[in-house]
């Protein structure tokens, strides 16, 4: 067999193999699954982000999403100690700044919501609490967030601006823990976000107070540099800051950033 004939046969075999192999494709309008997304988010975001997460899975078929909800200060501590996550959503800029300073954030964080405090009391307000100053009265057991937690920082600011010093029976690491102390009868009142009081439904009565307007918390969100799924992480941030995400946040009681 001549060299020219051998080369011709080899070319034919190559062409045949190429014709039988095709690149994987997706149906028009469908996004291929890209893996699992892990989101670290402030405890107060649980209701809204759970809803947003369902929308995210619908928009990205085959993709899973896992949330870790806790106090923002606890979350940033976990991240700086090597915890794996793709997105971080904080209940204040102070804790997001810590993540930025640690070199964990890709690009610039984006503010996506605001929240304010309210007083949560037992249904019907049996202690007759009508103002922030009432929380300092003898015989009133009050629970607050610890100072490093965003809701704790907001509480300290309100105390300073109102000239009222509280003597809490406990300081919790997340706003949901404060709410839990009230709903289980372990405290007469707790300083929580308006969103948490709303989510609790008839388990608590909310007592608004004007001083809360002086301590509004702004919520930032960011993609994390160690993310193994940066594209998905950016899609989630876009969803949170977009129309659908903002609608879910507003329904939960959050304000505009």
């Amino acid at each position: 067999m001549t060299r020219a004939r051998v080369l011709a046969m080899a070319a034919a075999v190559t062409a045949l193999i190429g014709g039988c192999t095709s690149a994987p494709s997706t149906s028009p309008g469908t996004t291929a699954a890209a893996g699992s997304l892990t989101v670290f988010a402030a405890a107060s975001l649980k209701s809204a982000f759970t809803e947003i997460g369902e929308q995210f899975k619908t928009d990205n078929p085959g993709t899973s999403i896992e949330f870790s909800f806790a106090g923002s200060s606890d979350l940033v501590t976990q991240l700086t100690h090597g915890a794996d996550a793709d997105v971080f959503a904080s209940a204040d800029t102070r804790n997001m700044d810590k993540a930025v300073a640690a070199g964990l954030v890709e690009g610039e964080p984006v503010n996506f919501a605001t929240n304010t405090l309210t007083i949560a009391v037992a249904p019907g307000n049996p202690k007759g609490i009508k103002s922030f100053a009432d929380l300092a009265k003898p015989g009133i057991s009050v629970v607050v967030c610890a100072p490093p937690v965003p809701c704790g920082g907001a509480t300290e600011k309100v105390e300073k601006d109102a000239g009222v010093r509280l003597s809490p029976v406990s300081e919790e690491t997340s706003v949901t823990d404060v709410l839990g102390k009230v709903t289980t009868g372990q405290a007469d009142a707790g300083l929580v976000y308006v969103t948490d009081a709303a989510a609790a439904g008839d388990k608590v009565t909310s007592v608004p107070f004007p001083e809360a307007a002086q301590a509004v918390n702004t919520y930032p969100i960011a993609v994390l540099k160690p993310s193994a799924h940066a594209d998905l992480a950016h899609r989630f941030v876009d969803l949170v800051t977009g129309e659908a995400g903002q609608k879910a946040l507003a329904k939960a009681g959050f304000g505009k950033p």
Side-chain angles (χ1 to χ4, degrees):
M1 185 181 292
T2 65
R3 177 178 174 80
R5 184 170 178 78
V6 171
L7 292 174
M9 291 178 65
V13 171
T14 300
L16 179 62
I17 294 174
C20 294
T21 305
S22 59
S25 61
T26 56
S27 301
T30 301
T31 303
S36 176
L37 194 70
T38 301
V39 177
F40 274 28
S44 52
L45 291 166
K46 185 173 183 178
S47 176
F49 267 30
T50 298
E51 179 178 336
I52 292 172
E54 291 303 313
Q55 182 64 51
F56 183 79
K57 288 187 289 185
T58 298
D59 294 344
N60 300 275
T63 298
S64 62
I65 184 168
E66 181 178 344
F67 291 104
S68 179
F69 295 108
S72 298
S73 58
D74 283 349
L75 292 174
V76 78
T77 296
Q78 292 176 41
L79 291 171
T80 55
H81 282 78
D84 291 328
D86 302 290
V87 176
F88 175 41
S90 174
D92 68 350
T93 55
R94 179 178 59 176
N95 282 290
M96 180 61 77
D97 288 344
K98 292 178 182 178
V100 172
L104 298 174
V105 173
E106 176 187 306
E108 292 290 331
V110 180
N111 296 332
F112 67 93
T114 55
N115 216 346
T116 54
L117 295 175
T118 190
I119 301 168
V121 299
N125 194 7
K127 294 289 185 175
I129 295 170
K130 298 179 180 179
S131 67
F132 184 79
D134 284 349
L135 298 178
K137 290 182 176 179
I140 300 294
S141 59
V142 61
V143 180
V144 301
C145 290
V149 185
C151 55
T155 297
E156 286 191 321
K157 189 174 190 315
V158 171
E159 286 183 276
K160 182 179 179 180
D161 291 347
V164 175
R165 185 66 178 173
L166 302 181
S167 298
V169 295
S170 71
E171 295 182 341
E172 304 298 322
T173 58
S174 75
V175 69
T176 50
D177 290 339
V178 173
L179 188 65
K181 292 284 187 179
V182 178
T183 58
T184 57
Q186 298 178 66
D188 297 322
L191 283 162
V192 303
Y193 293 121
V194 295
T195 53
D196 294 282
D202 59 7
K203 292 181 180 180
V204 299
T205 291
S206 179
V207 181
F209 57 99
E211 296 91 341
Q214 305 304 314
V216 177
N217 275 12
T218 298
Y219 286 53
I221 189 170
V223 174
L224 298 172
K225 283 183 179 178
S227 173
H229 306 288
D231 180 60
L232 275 181
H234 281 289
R235 291 187 204 178
F236 182 79
V237 171
D238 289 343
L239 177 60
V240 170
T241 57
E243 183 178 354
Q246 291 296 298
K247 183 178 180 180
L249 288 160
K251 185 171 72 174
F254 288 92
K256 290 287 185 180

